[in-house]
Amino acid sequence: MESTKPVKEKKPLVSGSQLVIIIISVAVSLAVFLLRPLGMSYQQSGILAATLMVIIWWSTGAVPRTWASVALVAVYVLFSGAPMRSVFTFPLSTNFVLIIVSFLFSQGISNSGLVDKLLGPVLIRFGKSPLRLMGIMLLLSFAMCFIIPQPFSRIILIGLIFANFFKKLELTEAQRSVWMLALFIISVIVNMSMIRGDIILNNALLSMAGVAVSEGTWLQYLFVPTMAYLLLALGLYWLMNRKTIASTVLAKPQPPAEKITLSGREKGYLVLILLAVVVWALEALHGIPGLYVVIAATLLMFPFGLLKLPDLKSVNLPLLVFLTAAFAIGGTLNSCGVAEVLFSAFAKIFPENFSPLYVLLIMATTILLHMLLGSNITTMSVVVPGMMTVGAGVVPEMMLVFLVLIAVCGHFLLPFHHVILLLGEGNGYYSTKQLVRFGLPLTVLVLACVFLLYMPWWNLMGI
């Protein structure tokens, strides 16, 4: 008797569209290698060709990001002639340790269950009008930066809290998506306002630029204008979605709130977390580096029972591999002379003297590259070394770094233009169409805010 068991079809390793992109990327890279643009040597054109090919793979997803990252690092090690310290800038930095420990620390907080238990009743009690709910979103996004350092874990946890809240209110799908997108937009912009807001992107920017900026200096130059930009962005968002927001009924009758009670174990968790947060927040007073604080708090989570060996899986290894490759681009291109050749030609489009036009060109160039490359880190790895070369002696380096930050992190159009937005879209909280609809006018707003908010504030601060 013949078996009727269905035969599973093997899924091809590469789809048709992915194969087309791979062929195109190889063809483009081969042309760059053979033509040796701008008088490059074969070594330089080869390194540029490999970099372009991998950036195309990163941007399109034609090749898995981890594989592409490993391939790029291998090419740099074998053929660039760059010092190993330049290629492995990220693993050899303190940021590498900070990010790993932050993943674990954030997982420990999530395991405690305290966030949802303590904040859930607050939403029910105070989020009774659209304006107040928006205010809670803003305050919570800001406060949680001091509690959960890892930005991805933080927004996932906050997103779950609000998703459960909206589910209890029985909002329509349209209403939920509008409010959830507002939450993720708030998170993206709040994370720009202080270094700890996004320890991955903000520290990556400073490392790539080779600039040392303290948390206090960052706050001095970015907090006020970024908060103003956030309020204007929310005002624009409210105006564009005013009908849906106005139709949201938040003050539904609620059963009497139960008194929040914590067990002895939970109180111990709370003390540990609050102690770590307070010590970390007061780094400027006691001088103990935040890295040491997070390491100590994370190690203590194991005997407290907040972390166990299986939680080591919370460390995102593919992300660390990708960051290693992305960080390697700038140093390697500089070491083998590719950056100097490229941006000596690129610099010709910029005026000789600093002017509003110069600022506009920086923003427009960075935004355009970000729209094409997608990834924040990838865009930074390409833009920062070049802009630091082009703008040297013309634009104050701190201003240059902050302009790149605003263009790359404060502006977006599609979900893949910011990892946090990608997480929200991936969880089905909102659609790509909603993001594009808001991202188009946001482009005009971010450019206007650079000249009307950031530049005047920096002038006042003495940059």
Side-chain angles (χ1 to χ4, degrees), residues 290-322:
L291 173 61
Y292 298 162
V293 175
V294 181
I295 289 176
T298 302
L299 291 175
L300 286 172
M301 283 182 169
F302 283 96
F304 267 74
L306 279 173
L307 285 174
K308 298 179 181 179
L309 287 180
D311 290 317
L312 294 175
K313 293 186 296 184
S314 65
V315 178
N316 192 332
L317 293 179
L319 175 64
L320 296 178
V321 174
F322 168 64

Side-chain angles (χ1 to χ4, degrees), residues 154-201:
R154 184 195 315 141
I155 189 58
I156 289 171
L157 193 56
I158 297 176
L160 286 173
I161 292 170
F162 277 94
N164 290 335
F165 174 61
F166 294 141
K167 189 176 182 180
K168 291 177 182 177
L169 294 178
E170 299 179 354
L171 300 186
T172 65
E173 184 177 346
Q175 291 170 333
R176 284 198 306 270
S177 64
V178 165
W179 280 105
M180 291 303 291
L181 179 53
L183 174 66
F184 278 72
I185 290 170
I186 288 171
S187 179
V188 166
I189 300 179
V190 164
N191 288 355
M192 293 168 50
S193 65
M194 48 190 168
I195 294 178
R196 74 178 63 227
D198 193 322
I199 61 169
I200 296 176
L201 288 180

Side-chain angles (χ1 to χ4, degrees), residues 146 193-197 213-220 280 283:
F146 294 87
S193 65
M194 48 190 168
I195 294 178
R196 74 178 63 227
V213 177
S214 67
E215 183 78 85
T217 302
W218 186 288
L219 288 170
Q220 179 184 355
W280 192 8
E283 179 180 342

Side-chain angles (χ1 to χ4, degrees), residues 19-35:
L19 183 59
V20 170
I21 293 171
I22 291 173
I23 293 172
I24 292 173
S25 67
V26 171
V28 169
S29 300
L30 187 60
V32 170
F33 173 63
L34 295 175
L35 294 175

Side-chain angles (χ1 to χ4, degrees), residues 66-81:
T66 301
W67 294 4
S69 301
V70 171
L72 184 61
V73 172
V75 169
Y76 284 172
V77 169
L78 296 174
F79 303 109
S80 72

Side-chain angles (χ1 to χ4, degrees), residues 222-347:
L222 282 179
F223 185 78
V224 171
T226 300
M227 288 298 102
Y229 170 50
L230 173 57
L231 293 177
L232 290 173
L234 289 178
L236 173 65
Y237 187 80
W238 191 297
L239 185 65
M240 294 178 64
N241 298 280
R242 56 189 180 278
K243 290 184 179 179
T244 304
I245 292 174
S247 67
T248 305
V249 179
L250 298 169
K252 283 193 172 186
Q254 299 290 339
E258 297 180 6
K259 185 179 179 181
I260 300 174
T261 57
L262 299 178
S263 65
R265 182 180 291 270
E266 287 175 329
K267 289 177 181 178
Y269 295 161
L270 185 60
V271 170
L272 173 62
I273 294 169
L274 289 178
L275 184 61
V277 169
V278 171
V279 175
W280 192 8
L282 298 178
E283 179 180 342
L285 294 179
H286 53 67
I288 302 174
L291 173 61
Y292 298 162
V293 175
V294 181
I295 289 176
T298 302
L299 291 175
L300 286 172
M301 283 182 169
F302 283 96
F304 267 74
L306 279 173
L307 285 174
K308 298 179 181 179
L309 287 180
D311 290 317
L312 294 175
K313 293 186 296 184
S314 65
V315 178
N316 192 332
L317 293 179
L319 175 64
L320 296 178
V321 174
F322 168 64
L323 290 175
T324 297
F327 272 92
I329 292 177
T332 304
L333 295 186
N334 276 324
S335 294
C336 63
V338 174
E340 184 179 354
V341 174
L342 285 176
F343 287 98
S344 60
F346 181 70

